Amino acid sequence: MEPKLVLLVFTLISATATCEYIRPPPRKTLHFPWDSKSSSHPQQVHISLAGDKNMRVSWVSNEKSSQSMVEYGTSPGRYSNRSQGESTSYSYLFYSSGKIHHTVIGPLEDNTVYYYRCGGEGPEYKLKTPPAEFPVMFAVAGDLGQTGWTKTTLDHIDRCKYDVHLLPGDLSYADYVQHRWDTFAELVEPLASTRPWMVTQGNHEKESILFFKDGFQSYNSRWKMPFEESGSSSNLYYSFEVAGAHIIMLGSYTDYDEHSDQYNWLKADVAKVDRKKTPWLLVLFHVPWYNSNEAHQGEGDRMMAAMEPLLHAASVDIVLAGHVHAYERTERVNNGKLDPCGAVHITIGDGGNREGLANRYKNPQPAWSVFREASFGHGELKLANSTHAYWSWHRNDDDEPVRSDQVWITSLQSSGCIAEKKDELRKILTGP
């Protein structure tokens, strides 16, 4: 649903019951108390991967003279390393942000706990780096927002022993109200300061005003991702690697046709993928291509027409999307048809947003659609080894996470599909 420039009234959309499952009612938007932290103390701390064995620490301070410095080490209170970073700030209508810091630390050891402090003062934080080898666990939730259901989803994710959080767009639902970016970052800080959060943009991040403000200013200023480290010219699309997975984050709201910078970057990126080193290839973007929900029908068609042939030729294993406020998982599919060498598409835009659930589905259910349900929840993806991954979706049933969908997925690397599509990929990468 496109955000509107309406600052006074937000409507919660009630979900109706379907099948035998009776959904709990929607929950209100959270309200946050006045922040009593010192102006120089770090706030809104979150971390993200920043190239091989490096981590980017991001935070906000209200004191303009505060340093973009991170001290860190493997023992509490003992910081044997120090890194200096960069800072930025922005103004939006009548709002002025605090000083936004981004500091890269490393090289770091794999699968190791580090203790760190931002800006030379304030509390100590703790992070854990991902493993270098299988197994590796990802938590997945999109379209989070700041409601009671968001808090429940985050509480459930916190119970999951995950290594990296993947978020396919629509973070804060600030929708032009800039202080909501601040409250969102405070809400997720307990999780996002301990494990890397890798995000891509959704429509609620755009916040453009015709003739006055370009899009994504707040998002790009606050949530800097490793685009430069992956050879991209834009924070709206990038890639990174974790253990045995190469993960591509694409932009649904920036140019994606065959002549665009994003498409050319994508060709260069998939050309560099070594499936012996990273047998799993995952892709995230916001607007789903395979969607049997009544909501947002056809919105991903143009991007799909431009990019699906390339992703299919590259043998992408799993595609994760958001936007539709419900859950759906497909069989392996390509060009609208079942294809054993296609990708498994998962829509998981059910993190807890204020707009409510999309509870109307098209019937009959398409052959490629395996499981669909309009409930809030989160996903967990465990890459067990080079050939098998375990996906599970956990519905927020009141305040308990209930595993409602699960499947073992076999990698295309182990199926022979990559060898079969070698010529197809070469033709796309080199052109006619």
Side-chain angles (χ1 to χ4, degrees):
M1 186 176 296
E2 291 294 329
K4 298 179 180 178
L5 189 54
V6 179
L7 307 184
L8 299 178
V9 180
F10 295 124
T11 303
L12 289 170
I13 303 173
S14 298
T16 59
T18 62
C19 301
E20 298 179 358
Y21 177 63
I22 301 176
R23 273 175 220 92
R27 295 179 178 177
K28 294 181 179 180
T29 297
L30 297 173
H31 294 280
F32 297 85
W34 180 260
D35 192 353
S36 59
K37 290 183 180 178
S38 167
S39 62
S40 61
H41 281 193
Q43 304 172 44
Q44 309 173 38
V45 179
H46 57 270
I47 62 175
S48 55
L49 300 173
D52 187 32
K53 296 186 181 297
N54 292 329
M55 198 82 75
R56 178 175 283 107
V57 182
S58 301
W59 74 97
V60 175
S61 63
N62 293 327
E63 179 59 58
K64 298 303 181 183
S65 63
S66 58
Q67 302 179 71
S68 301
M69 178 187 67
V70 175
E71 301 163 288
Y72 60 100
T74 55
S75 299
R78 298 179 62 183
Y79 310 124
S80 55
N81 300 281
R82 177 184 295 184
S83 292
Q84 191 71 30
E86 62 185 7
S87 65
T88 187
S89 62
Y90 72 94
S91 296
Y92 192 99
L93 298 179
F94 303 108
Y95 172 91
S96 294
S97 76
K99 189 175 183 179
I100 303 169
H101 307 264
H102 301 291
T103 301
V104 175
I105 62 174
L108 305 175
E109 296 296 323
D110 301 308
N111 204 29
T112 301
V113 173
Y114 284 86
Y115 299 85
Y116 66 101
R117 186 171 65 171
C118 305
E121 60 181 304
E124 179 177 80
Y125 294 87
K126 181 173 72 173
L127 67 83
K128 181 177 176 293
T129 58
E133 300 176 345
F134 299 116
V136 60
M137 174 73 84
F138 299 94
V140 189
D143 297 72
L144 277 176
Q146 305 178 55
T147 72
W149 281 120
T150 309
K151 183 64 167 60
T152 299
T153 299
L154 294 174
D155 289 344
H156 294 170
I157 291 174
D158 198 28
R159 302 181 197 177
C160 163
K161 294 182 179 179
Y162 70 101
D163 299 298
V164 178
H165 183 102
L166 303 176
L167 203 166
D170 281 1
L171 285 69
S172 69
Y173 281 75
D175 293 343
Y176 305 94
V177 186
Q178 292 303 295
H179 77 87
R180 299 294 288 169
W181 279 106
D182 297 315
T183 55
F184 174 78
E186 290 288 349
L187 175 65
V188 303
E189 182 187 88
L191 279 73
S193 62
T194 63
R195 298 292 186 276
W197 275 42
M198 309 307 292
V199 307
T200 189
Q201 90 282 176
N203 52 303
H204 286 269
E205 276 71 68
K206 195 170 184 179
E207 298 184 311
S208 59
I209 301 175
L210 190 63
F211 305 124
F212 187 69
K213 279 288 182 184
D214 293 332
F216 306 108
Q217 182 184 24
S218 312
Y219 171 79
N220 286 334
S221 297
R222 296 170 180 270
W223 291 83
K224 185 174 182 180
M225 293 291 114
F227 71 97
E228 294 165 319
E229 292 88 344
S230 57
S232 168
S233 60
S234 170
N235 194 48
L236 304 180
Y237 49 89
Y238 62 95
S239 67
F240 62 97
E241 294 185 349
V242 178
H246 187 92
I247 302 173
I248 299 172
M249 312 289 275
L250 297 177
S252 295
Y253 297 95
T254 187
D255 291 342
Y256 44 68
D257 63 54
E258 294 181 3
H259 305 290
S260 66
D261 290 343
Q262 180 174 201
Y263 187 87
N264 288 325
W265 169 83
L266 178 60
K267 287 201 302 182
D269 191 71
V270 298
K272 294 184 291 186
V273 175
D274 180 356
R275 297 300 279 267
K276 293 181 180 179
K277 177 186 175 186
T278 54
W280 290 94
L281 182 54
L282 313 181
V283 173
L284 280 80
F285 47 78
H286 189 57
V287 181
W289 295 351
Y290 289 89
N291 168 33
S292 69
N293 196 289
E294 293 282 359
H296 301 300
Q297 273 296 313
E299 290 185 19
D301 288 356
R302 288 193 297 172
M303 185 179 183
M304 177 179 170
M307 289 187 160
E308 188 179 36
L310 173 53
L311 297 187
H312 180 259
S315 297
V316 169
D317 289 290
I318 302 171
V319 173
L320 297 159
H323 200 40
V324 175
H325 300 161
Y327 171 75
E328 185 164 19
R329 174 174 60 85
T330 76
E331 299 278 13
R332 289 199 176 276
V333 62
N334 177 61
N335 195 27
K337 300 176 182 178
L338 297 178
D339 184 338
C341 292
V344 174
H345 287 251
I346 297 171
T347 300
I348 188 155
D350 56 354
N353 66 87
R354 61 174 168 73
E355 293 177 334
L357 294 164
N359 50 53
R360 294 192 300 273
Y361 285 96
K362 297 174 71 68
N363 288 305
Q365 186 170 356
W368 43 258
S369 177
V370 180
F371 187 100
R372 56 187 189 174
E373 182 179 300
S375 297
F376 292 122
H378 77 280
E380 298 174 12
L381 176 63
K382 180 180 182 179
L383 304 184
N385 50 46
S386 63
T387 60
H388 289 83
Y390 181 70
W391 167 262
S392 57
W393 174 65
H394 301 251
R395 175 204 297 146
N396 290 354
D397 192 347
D398 291 323
D399 288 315
E400 296 298 322
V402 177
R403 186 170 58 194
S404 304
D405 182 37
Q406 55 197 315
V407 64
W408 279 97
I409 300 172
T410 303
S411 69
L412 294 180
Q413 167 70 9
S414 63
S415 69
C417 288
I418 294 176
E420 290 178 15
K421 293 187 285 187
K422 191 174 182 180
D423 290 340
E424 178 185 348
L425 179 61
R426 184 186 298 113
K427 288 180 181 178
I428 294 176
L429 295 180
T430 60

